[in-house]
Amino acid sequence: MDEYFLGDVYGVSRNIPFSYTPRTLDEQFLAALAEDKHIVLYGGNRQGKSTLARKHLDQDSCCVIRCAYGQRRYDVYRMLLRETGASVAVERKRRRARGIGAKVSIFSGDFKSDSETTERTIDIDIGNINDVLRVVADNGFEKTVIIDDFQYLGVGDQREIAEDLKVIYEKSSIKVIIMGTWEEEDRLVNLNGNLAGRVLSIYAGSWSADGLAEVVRAGEELLNVQFTDEIKGRLVAAAEGSVGLLQELCYRLCASAGITSNLDRRVRVDDVALVDDAVNKVLAVNSPRFRRFITSYSTYKKYRYGRPSLSRKWIMHYLLTVEPEVLLRAATMEEMFESIQRLYPNETANEEYTVEKLTKQARKIWRLQRAIGIQPTILAFNDTTETLTIVDRTFVLFLRHSDRARLVAYLPDGGRDAVDVDGDVSAGNQLVVPHRGQYVPR
């Protein structure tokens, strides 16, 4: 009998979990790979985008470039050139100089044998895609390039790379796969209209309950365990449509049950308390990040001696009071505006608040998450539909199992309509959200 360890079946791993279950998205991705176009793979966090790429791409025929907060376009190209085997030294940008200078050392020969190797150094503008492609071609690089976590780059750098993708498409045979966390179908085309017809967008949306249940069943067979229907149902419900969250919950549940590898005989797991324990452990790890997001976003000041924008307090209060299902299907600006007016009738009247002002502030949500270092992204604004969506399903789990009245207390003025002369919380300010779980953030 083959041996399967728990970490190979369930959980977060650098390898593809043995419980991997294909869905329609796999067929779409394979069809896109067969076409001579760039690919944009987008959707929420922990929906299996990276695992999908690893599953269907030969790791020797592709290179992965992971973006991070603070990186610029030339950082992406520097990592690309290093993947080709070139040595890159970026020079400081001189005042009044155009572009980013870099010295690139190109090696030829076989390092694995005793054959002679040679080195030549050239000067390029690493911010110029034509210079970058010339070095890539000189090194005979033909791999598929995956740019992951694209959302962490600034909007300006995203737009510049989107413009460069057209040049890459026309001047090379390199296929680029952009992966990121957002909900806009044509984000790259919106950044550069010339990409229309040159990119294929694939949406990695939330998993169906049946799809998640199939992942649980696949792991059951490999570990030789049997979860009761109630346990499987509660696991699927707690996953909130996220396969990554489901994998983590299943891993923690099995670990708590003492299952570390496949068993010699089939064992039935029927203690539903194990699901609550798994949920609480996931929340204990993630709740500090979510509380920091709540406080940092609502109190963020662009300038040291400025004051936080009231609209950020209003938006966060709305997020903490509305039912998560509204945000999962995407909340419209009109819905948010009406709710905020009920929560803060005095402050919104005093500020002459409008839907347009709310939309302008909502557009900044991604940028502010970047500014305060929230990673992974929790919320995304869809410019096409002008809606706000939760893209981190663990945050939904956090909201469902938290005392949201206590979370509101983290907001400036304790979430009160501060302009109220009596200092009382208005009727619309009162929370009527029941406590729906055991976990209470401390």
Side-chain angles (χ1 to χ4, degrees), residues 247-264:
Q247 289 279 4
E248 185 177 358
L249 290 169
C250 289
Y251 177 89
R252 292 185 180 278
L253 184 147
C254 289
S256 296
I259 301 169
T260 58
S261 63
N262 55 326
L263 306 173
D264 295 332

Side-chain angles (χ1 to χ4, degrees), residues 12 19 25 86 144 197 216 366 422:
V12 179
S19 58
L25 187 69
T144 298
V216 177
W366 171 84
D422 295 327

Side-chain angles (χ1 to χ4, degrees), residues 97-157:
R98 296 177 63 86
I100 305 295
K103 290 187 179 296
V104 179
S105 297
I106 302 176
F107 300 91
S108 60
D110 188 355
F111 289 95
K112 297 181 180 179
S113 66
D114 295 330
S115 63
E116 183 179 353
T117 60
T118 59
E119 175 186 355
R120 61 190 178 92
T121 301
I122 60 174
D123 293 324
I124 68 167
D125 175 3
I126 201 171
N128 187 320
I129 190 61
N130 294 286
D131 284 7
V132 173
L133 287 178
R134 188 170 72 250
V135 176
V136 168
D138 287 347
N139 278 18
F141 182 84
E142 296 180 347
K143 293 183 178 183
T144 298
V145 177
I146 300 174
I147 303 179
D148 199 1
D149 291 328
F150 192 69
Q151 74 278 359
Y152 291 144
L153 298 177
V155 175
D157 292 289

Side-chain angles (χ1 to χ4, degrees), residues 281-402:
K281 287 179 177 177
V282 169
L283 292 177
V285 171
N286 289 276
S287 61
R289 174 169 63 95
F290 295 140
R291 290 199 302 271
R292 184 167 69 87
F293 168 62
I294 292 169
T295 56
S296 298
Y297 174 79
S298 58
T299 61
Y300 178 79
K301 295 187 295 185
K302 185 175 181 180
Y303 303 106
R304 181 178 180 183
Y305 297 105
R307 69 180 181 90
S309 170
L310 284 174
S311 59
R312 285 196 281 275
K313 178 182 77 169
W314 303 337
I315 290 173
M316 183 56 67
H317 197 156
Y318 169 80
L319 297 174
L320 296 178
T321 58
V322 71
E323 284 300 313
E325 283 76 15
V326 175
L327 293 171
L328 289 175
R329 67 162 170 78
T332 66
M333 293 298 99
E334 289 74 16
E335 287 176 321
M336 290 183 62
F337 181 72
E338 291 175 3
S339 296
I340 288 173
Q341 280 191 314
R342 288 195 295 270
L343 289 168
Y344 295 96
N346 296 302
E347 288 183 353
T348 53
N350 189 56
E351 293 284 328
E352 298 181 351
Y353 208 50
T354 63
V355 175
E356 290 72 22
K357 289 183 178 180
L358 171 63
T359 304
K360 182 179 179 180
Q361 191 62 241
R363 279 198 175 95
K364 300 177 182 179
I365 280 182
W366 171 84
R367 190 186 308 166
L368 286 175
Q369 289 175 99
R370 184 173 182 263
I372 60 182
I374 296 299
Q375 188 175 353
T377 306
I378 297 173
L379 297 169
F381 180 80
N382 189 327
D383 267 308
T384 303
T385 60
E386 293 192 340
T387 53
L388 190 65
T389 309
I390 290 180
V391 290
D392 186 344
R393 298 303 176 96
T394 311
F395 186 58
V396 178
L397 187 67
F398 170 77
L399 292 178
R400 292 197 194 279
H401 290 264
S402 296

